[in-house]
Amino acid sequence: MKAWHLAALPLRRLAMMAALLATLGGCFAMDTEEELRAYLNKWVFLAQQRHFVSKSTCTIAVYDLASEVLRSAGPRQVTTYREAVLYLKRNRAVWFDMPGTTPHQVSRGIMSLDLPTGLGLVSAGVGPALDCIEDPGISNGFHAVMTSDKAITVYDPATNALLMLYPPEMLLLFMRGNV
């Protein structure tokens, strides 16, 4: 009887540790504010941060922009969906330079040419929208920008990040999911 308890003890500890790690896994944030700012500063000119939420499955952030211009070392500028798909399939970030095209139309255009690539773009927005946006005001703002023909869309498949620049209000909306 005593030997059974000694043999079972390590398995019980292992099971408890596994359960604890699984529980704590949901507590860690996908991004920190500092890491995200460093990532975004490579591509855009940021001013102050307005909103930031990061969970284990998603990140949502809103920043004021110091300039609506993308940095020259930023994502690859594309003017057609076909060109975008070529770069996205190579895991390269793209800036959709398509004036008058909403971020929603961009996602539909990519999906019509290459469903898996388009679904990646959609998941970068939908997952965070469902899991990370808790404030109705933020949700309404993201929806307004997603459907605005004045928004500029940037997608980075390597990090599953969707950026939407909104020049009329000098804003950057950032979404990243783990899907």
Side-chain angles (χ1 to χ4, degrees):
M1 197 70 126
K2 191 173 188 181
W4 179 81
H5 286 294
L6 290 176
L9 186 59
L11 291 176
R12 285 187 192 151
R13 282 189 184 159
L14 182 62
M16 285 178 30
M17 288 176 63
L20 180 61
L21 287 175
T23 302
L24 290 176
C27 298
F28 296 109
M30 180 177 277
D31 295 291
T32 66
E33 294 179 38
E34 296 77 23
E35 290 169 342
L36 182 56
R37 182 173 279 278
Y39 169 80
L40 293 171
N41 271 327
K42 295 177 192 173
W43 294 356
V44 295
F45 298 92
L46 294 177
Q48 73 180 22
Q49 176 183 298
R50 288 188 180 200
H51 184 78
F52 179 87
V53 173
S54 188
K55 299 179 180 180
S56 63
T57 59
C58 56
T59 298
I60 292 283
V62 180
Y63 293 89
D64 288 322
L65 289 170
S67 171
E68 65 187 58
V69 177
L70 288 164
R71 294 181 187 269
S72 59
R76 177 70 182 193
Q77 180 179 359
V78 296
T79 57
T80 68
Y81 295 128
R82 290 198 187 288
E83 184 182 15
V85 168
L86 292 174
Y87 286 104
L88 294 172
K89 284 184 150 195
R90 290 187 228 143
N91 234 18
R92 299 267 317 270
V94 297
W95 155 35
F96 295 87
D97 186 11
M98 301 176 184
T101 305
T102 70
H104 177 70
Q105 290 169 324
V106 166
S107 68
R108 290 179 60 199
I110 296 298
M111 279 196 301
S112 71
L113 290 177
D114 187 281
L115 186 59
T117 303
L119 288 174
L121 192 156
V122 169
S123 73
V126 172
L130 295 174
D131 295 339
C132 267
I133 298 179
E134 298 163 351
D135 181 331
I138 298 293
S139 179
N140 292 340
F142 269 85
H143 182 266
V145 172
M146 181 70 77
T147 56
S148 172
D149 64 358
K150 304 229 182 326
I152 299 166
T153 308
V154 175
Y155 175 54
D156 181 2
T159 61
N160 201 36
L162 176 64
L163 291 74
M164 295 179 290
L165 287 78
Y166 190 60
E169 294 187 33
M170 295 298 287
L171 292 175
L172 169 72
L173 289 75
F174 174 89
M175 306 171 97
R176 181 193 333 256
N178 68 350
V179 176

